[in-house]
Amino acid sequence: MKKKWLIVGVIIIVVIVAFFVVSRFLNKTDEEELTEQKIKITPQMVTSIERGDLKKTVSTSGYLQAADEKVLIFSLNGEIEEVLISEGKRVTEGEALVRLEKSQQELNYLKAKNTYELIKTSGSESEINEQELNFQITKKNLEDTTIKAPFSGLITDVSVKPGDYIGSGSEVAYIIDDSSYEIEVAVNEIDSLEIEVGQEVIIILDAFPEREFSGRVEEIHNYTQNVNGVVTLPVTVQLDKADKQFKPGFSALVEIIIGRAEGELLVPISAILDRKGQQTVVKVVDNKPVFAPVKAGFSDGVYTAIEEGLAEGEEIVINVYEFAQTGSNNNSTRGGVPGMGGFIAPHR
């Protein structure tokens, strides 16, 4: 009988010991879990939390073009009598540029004017209206024998010379308003959802690789383009300021700023892992690694702003791949970057 109770007592003791062992295993702290891995923390693995600015951009490219440009044509047939411009000349709005020989148009105008003046005294209402209309047409034709600058700008091409006979609609010259430039770019259909009129733009021209120019999103067009299966949305970017060295056709790299974070606590995206469905970093406390849950915010794909969970000056591990195994039992790799353990993907 004593032997029986002795066996029962031993079993009870074994069960109690086993319970405490399993309980302790299941309730390990983060620090204990990490300590058991015996990962040595070196200075190269650690970074101090600092504040900084982030900006997220959509990259595209295009070509510089004048915001206003126009082909100059005559609406009449005739012989070029006088060319008052040359390529590269700067002109002002309303300035005479090219003239046709106009004797026939002057004759038509005078005949129509005289007839109209006579008919006003003795003609019927219908006759007066007819001659007034004829007078206005001949007056306009006479005025149209001279092309005037539609706006102030730069003459970039002259296609005629005195003595040339041209037909109506033929190109005579080309003018651009070089006081204002824009770039039309193509934005991927996915990125286009984040583009808004008025967003800031950073522009780098190949002709000036060491300089940055600023601009704004001026217009988002209401149609898409499909080139080889790639769907894009045309967007017009207006430069804030023109440079006298700008030339239409200069190639440009365009960065549209779709988001900013200023004065935020920043960590590399490689410092964040998803553990138990919680965004987590590995803090260094007394030279030991400790899991610390955080709330991550805006990211530019390289750094992420931390909204909660860290303080300026605290130290964290830069790359958390060595700690991924500890979190792997708790879905640590969910949402991670391939090849980087439990990294959290950049916020978009």
Side-chain angles (χ1 to χ4, degrees):
M1 189 68 175
K2 291 182 179 180
K3 184 177 180 181
K4 179 180 178 181
W5 283 109
L6 180 62
I7 293 173
V8 171
V10 171
I11 292 174
I12 292 173
I13 292 172
V14 170
V15 170
I16 293 173
V17 171
F19 173 80
F20 279 107
V21 170
V22 172
S23 176
R24 176 166 177 76
F25 176 78
L26 293 176
N27 292 281
K28 289 179 181 179
T29 65
D30 290 341
E31 185 173 350
E32 288 173 331
E33 288 184 27
L34 289 174
T35 300
E36 287 182 4
Q37 292 187 75
K38 298 180 180 179
I39 297 175
K40 183 179 180 181
I41 301 298
T42 65
Q44 293 76 21
M45 298 170 61
V46 178
T47 185
S48 180
I49 303 298
E50 297 179 354
R51 293 188 180 275
D53 301 336
L54 294 182
K55 63 173 178 285
K56 182 180 178 183
T57 64
V58 169
S59 299
T60 183
S61 60
Y63 298 93
L64 204 62
Q65 60 189 43
D68 200 358
E69 52 191 351
K70 189 173 183 179
V71 176
L72 303 179
I73 62 173
F74 279 110
S75 59
L76 306 169
N77 300 328
E79 181 182 328
I80 300 295
E81 181 179 73
E82 192 174 14
V83 178
L84 304 170
I85 53 174
S86 58
E87 184 177 334
K89 181 179 180 182
R90 192 166 299 282
V91 297
T92 57
E93 183 177 355
E95 182 179 341
L97 308 179
V98 184
R99 290 194 176 100
L100 286 178
E101 198 285 319
K102 60 182 180 179
S103 57
Q104 184 61 54
Q105 300 303 330
E106 284 182 323
L107 177 61
N108 294 341
Y109 168 74
L110 291 173
K111 285 181 177 180
K113 181 180 180 181
N114 292 334
T115 301
Y116 174 54
E117 294 297 334
L118 288 173
I119 205 70
K120 284 197 299 183
T121 61
S122 58
S124 65
E125 182 178 354
S126 177
E127 289 173 328
I128 293 173
N129 290 339
E130 177 186 347
Q131 291 306 316
E132 181 181 13
L133 182 58
N134 185 51
F135 169 60
Q136 293 299 332
I137 291 173
T138 58
K139 181 180 179 182
K140 183 178 184 305
N141 285 343
L142 180 59
E143 292 172 349
D144 286 350
T145 58
T146 298
I147 289 181
K148 296 180 179 180
F151 48 79
S152 297
L154 183 71
I155 301 297
T156 60
D157 185 55
V158 179
S159 310
V160 296
K161 62 183 182 300
D164 287 349
Y165 187 88
I166 64 165
S168 62
S170 298
E171 181 176 339
V172 173
Y174 200 85
I175 183 174
I176 66 169
D177 177 3
D178 63 340
S179 67
S180 179
Y181 278 89
E182 63 186 22
I183 305 168
E184 185 161 307
V185 298
V187 176
N188 183 277
E189 61 179 323
I190 298 175
D191 291 332
S192 70
L193 301 178
E194 299 186 273
I195 304 299
E196 297 178 1
V197 171
Q199 286 175 328
E200 296 177 59
V201 178
I202 298 172
I203 300 145
I204 297 178
L205 301 175
D206 285 354
F208 311 100
E210 303 301 321
R211 297 174 62 186
E212 284 189 358
F213 301 93
S214 63
R216 301 275 173 177
V217 173
E218 178 72 13
E219 182 180 4
I220 301 171
H221 296 274
N222 295 313
Y223 60 91
T224 59
Q225 297 173 328
N226 190 323
V227 179
N228 298 325
V230 179
V231 179
T232 58
L233 182 70
V235 173
T236 301
V237 170
Q238 178 77 47
L239 276 78
D240 289 335
K241 186 179 180 181
D243 189 285
K244 63 181 180 180
Q245 293 181 298
F246 283 176
K247 296 292 186 294
F250 276 177
S251 54
L253 175 64
V254 175
E255 297 279 344
I256 302 173
I257 300 174
I258 60 175
R260 282 185 182 276
E262 298 181 350
E264 301 288 343
L265 297 175
L266 304 181
V267 302
I269 62 169
S270 59
I272 306 176
L273 59 82
D274 189 341
R275 183 171 181 272
K276 302 179 183 179
Q278 169 69 57
Q279 294 165 328
T280 305
V281 300
V282 177
K283 284 203 299 187
V284 179
V285 180
D286 296 329
N287 208 37
K288 295 179 180 179
V290 179
F291 281 132
V294 296
K295 181 179 179 182
F298 179 78
S299 176
D300 66 354
V302 179
Y303 287 91
T304 297
I306 299 299
E307 298 177 358
E308 296 177 5
L310 290 176
E312 189 172 1
E314 288 186 312
E315 294 185 331
I316 62 168
V317 174
I318 299 171
N319 293 311
V320 292
Y321 67 92
E322 291 190 63
F323 304 92
Q325 187 60 41
T326 297
S328 63
N329 296 325
N330 300 297
N331 302 318
S332 68
T333 59
R334 184 173 58 195
V337 177
M340 296 299 284
F343 291 176
I344 178 172
H347 292 267
R348 291 192 61 82

